[in-house]
Amino acid sequence: MFVTPAYAQAAGAGGASALGPVLPLILIFAIMYFLLIRPQQKKMKEHQAMVAALRRGDQVVTAGGIIGKVTKVKDAGEIEVEIASGVKIRVIQSTISQVLNKTEPANDN
């Protein structure tokens, strides 16, 4: 029934150690960010830049493993790829996984 002053002081002192259990969680999140999230974001930006730089004549590999030459870049996020003489397929631009041979832009000089 009676609360002694020693118990009341012990309850108030627990607030200073509240950071102790949270600190490992913050440390784990920081490690995960620098080892997983940040490199993945960098890779995604590089892929978007590669896809945006596609132009006619580039030799590309699709995500399905098809190798072909870009014949037309359309505005709707798709490209036309020639995989054999006279055989052209439409491919969604973001499914291009690699550019094998990049064509050089024509100089106007």
Side-chain angles (χ1 to χ4, degrees):
M1 261 208 211
F2 297 103
V3 176
T4 61
Y7 290 132
Q9 289 177 354
S17 65
L19 185 62
V22 178
L23 190 60
L25 291 175
I26 293 171
L27 186 62
I28 289 171
F29 180 75
I31 291 170
M32 293 290 283
Y33 176 77
F34 284 108
L35 292 180
L36 295 175
I37 297 170
R38 192 169 168 215
Q40 186 65 27
Q41 287 176 342
K42 183 180 177 185
K43 186 176 180 182
M44 188 173 64
K45 284 181 185 179
E46 290 172 355
H47 182 261
Q48 287 174 345
M50 178 194 66
V51 168
L54 282 176
R55 62 175 169 260
R56 208 173 108 223
D58 291 348
Q59 189 172 9
V60 296
V61 178
T62 66
I66 298 173
I67 299 174
K69 186 179 275 190
V70 177
T71 57
K72 188 187 292 182
V73 178
K74 298 181 179 182
D75 292 333
E78 66 181 47
I79 60 173
E80 193 172 273
V81 178
E82 184 176 22
I83 57 175
S85 296
V87 180
K88 296 179 182 178
I89 58 173
R90 291 182 357 203
V91 178
I92 299 203
Q93 205 168 12
S94 62
T95 62
I96 300 299
S97 62
Q98 186 178 6
V99 177
L100 297 177
N101 291 333
K102 194 94 172 121
T103 57
E104 296 301 320
N107 291 337
D108 292 335
N109 294 341

